[in-house]
């Protein structure tokens, strides 16, 4: 898999970076949003929990929402305005 994974959602560009490039002892806030001109808008919020597994492994745009899948098996809906977790659902 090649990183970053790039996804367009509405008028923003999302980039998912390789979580393994981040220190293993703290959360990897590895999703960033940019406007069409390349200006950084926000960095995704940490979900919390166990720091060593608090990272995102996939992003998607479904039904008008940003979904970020967390290594801890949570499907998180992300606020496109600020990168905060709106809701999370355990999927395992």
């Amino acid at each position: 898999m090649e990183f970053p994974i790039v996804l367009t959602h509405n008028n923003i560009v999302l980039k998912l970076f390789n979580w393994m490039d981040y220190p293993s002892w703290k959360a990897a806030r590895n999703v960033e949003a940019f406007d069409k001109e390349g200006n950084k808008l926000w960095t995704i919020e940490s979900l919390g929990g166990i720091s060593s597994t608090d990272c995102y492994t996939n992003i998607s745009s479904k039904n008008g929402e940003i979904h970020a899948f967390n290594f801890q098996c949570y499907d998180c809906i992300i606020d496109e305005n600020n990168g905060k977790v709106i809701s999370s659902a355990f999927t395992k």
Side-chain angles (χ1 to χ4, degrees):
M1 184 177 300
E2 288 191 37
F3 290 96
I5 295 172
V6 179
L7 169 75
T8 301
H9 173 84
N10 294 334
N11 290 321
I12 61 175
V13 176
L14 300 165
K15 293 184 180 183
L16 170 74
F17 296 95
N18 189 344
W19 59 92
M20 295 178 66
D21 291 339
Y22 292 75
S24 62
W25 48 270
K26 67 178 188 175
R29 296 176 58 200
N30 60 316
V31 178
E32 296 180 352
F34 300 86
D35 64 19
K36 295 287 184 179
E37 288 76 40
N39 300 304
K40 186 175 173 181
L41 301 172
W42 48 258
T43 301
I44 197 167
E45 176 179 49
S46 173
L47 180 61
I50 301 168
S51 295
S52 62
T53 58
D54 188 3
C55 59
Y56 295 93
T57 59
N58 193 24
I59 54 174
S60 63
S61 178
K62 295 187 273 187
N63 302 320
E65 298 173 323
I66 298 171
H67 287 257
F69 190 77
N70 185 281
F71 190 82
Q72 299 174 68
C73 296
Y74 284 88
D75 180 11
C76 303
I77 297 176
I78 307 300
D79 187 323
E80 67 184 71
N81 298 304
N82 57 25
K84 301 229 179 261
V85 176
I86 297 172
S87 67
S88 60
F90 189 68
T91 60
K92 192 169 184 182

